[in-house]
Amino acid sequence: MAFRSPPEAPTVATGPAVSAAESHLSYRSNWLRAAVLGANDGIVSTSSLVLGVAGSGASGSAIVTAGIAGLVGGALSMAAGEYVSVSSQRDTELADVRLEEHELRTDPEGELAELQAIYEDRGLPAELAGQVAEALTARDALTAHLRDELGLEEERRARPVQAAGSSAAAFASGAIVPLLAAGLVPDGARTPVIVVVTLVALAALGAIGARLGGARRRPATVRVLGWGAAAMAVTYLIGAAVGTAI
């Protein structure tokens, strides 16, 4: 866990100054994960659902109804699951905050020494580490310990409501793509159009996710396309088999 000193704390010159315009992408990890996961689930699950129903030989109205039910149910399920999961993470974070508050009240000297030891372990000389620890403790001891001892930075703290809302919105935005294709295309062309539209949407999602996360586009796109195509194929074949049997 890298230590990042605030502007007023003493620093050790290790190379050229970092440009103020430099930006990193790791701060996007939480919302990017939820958004990409939600949109991918919306596209794949809804397209697979409508293709499975279409493979069974159901009518167009039944296919669209199944798609709408999948969109609504999936969005609510994503929201509920994300809220519960992130709330558990938030509870753990709050417990750590309360523990640090208690330790700072009951043993401030020990906590100061602990903070100094952290900076020494990261390469600062003992004297400089003590100066940094004292400066950060005087400014905001709790924030310093949460960040540098526990890795809890404010911009990366768990936010259950935000996570639930973004996951539901992302799922719905992805699910609407195959749903529109299922509802607007005539019976004869419905299945191939859903497949093509879904693959195009998945390719775009993979490229956008890679772009936002600073990753390579081709592996991300191929990964999303491969799993999406497999899910649609399996669901369609199962739907066709069930429709034939029934």
Side-chain angles (χ1 to χ4, degrees):
M1 192 164 43
F3 165 63
R4 296 184 298 172
S5 300
E8 68 272 16
T11 57
V12 178
T14 56
V18 178
S19 169
E22 180 182 359
S23 61
H24 297 279
L25 303 177
S26 60
Y27 73 93
R28 297 175 175 172
S29 59
N30 286 337
W31 68 261
L32 180 61
R33 177 195 64 81
V36 171
L37 177 63
N40 183 78
D41 277 0
I43 295 171
V44 174
S45 63
T46 305
S47 62
S48 298
L49 176 61
V50 296
L51 284 174
V53 177
S56 71
S59 65
S61 60
I63 294 172
V64 173
T65 300
I68 294 173
L71 185 155
V72 176
L76 293 177
S77 176
M78 285 288 293
E82 196 73 11
Y83 183 84
V84 170
S85 174
V86 178
S87 291
S88 297
Q89 179 184 344
R90 181 66 168 173
D91 290 343
T92 301
E93 292 177 354
L94 292 176
D96 283 338
V97 171
R98 289 192 293 269
L99 178 60
E100 281 302 316
E101 290 174 336
H102 173 74
E103 291 177 344
L104 284 169
R105 286 194 306 268
T106 58
D107 186 18
E109 293 301 323
E111 290 297 293
L112 178 61
E114 184 177 37
L115 203 58
Q116 178 177 344
I118 290 172
Y119 301 147
E120 289 185 40
D121 288 342
R122 292 173 182 173
L124 290 181
E127 182 179 355
L128 182 55
Q131 293 173 0
V132 173
E134 289 175 1
L136 294 183
T137 297
R139 181 181 183 184
D140 189 340
L142 179 61
T143 297
H145 280 272
L146 293 179
R147 181 186 62 238
D148 298 324
E149 181 183 347
L150 302 176
L152 295 179
E153 298 188 64
E154 183 58 35
E155 62 269 20
R156 298 185 185 181
R157 298 280 289 276
R159 294 175 174 83
V161 174
Q162 181 187 70
S166 62
S167 293
F171 184 96
S173 66
I176 198 68
V177 175
L179 180 57
L180 287 175
L184 299 177
V185 177
D187 290 345
R190 180 175 287 118
T191 295
V193 169
I194 291 174
V195 171
V196 171
V197 168
T198 297
L199 292 178
V200 170
L202 287 174
L205 177 64
I208 291 172
R211 172 68 177 174
L212 291 175
R216 296 171 58 196
R217 295 187 186 183
R218 180 175 296 179
T221 302
V222 171
R223 181 170 59 243
V224 172
L225 279 175
W227 285 105
M232 288 189 293
V234 170
T235 309
Y236 180 81
L237 291 174
I238 291 175
V242 171
T244 300
I246 295 179

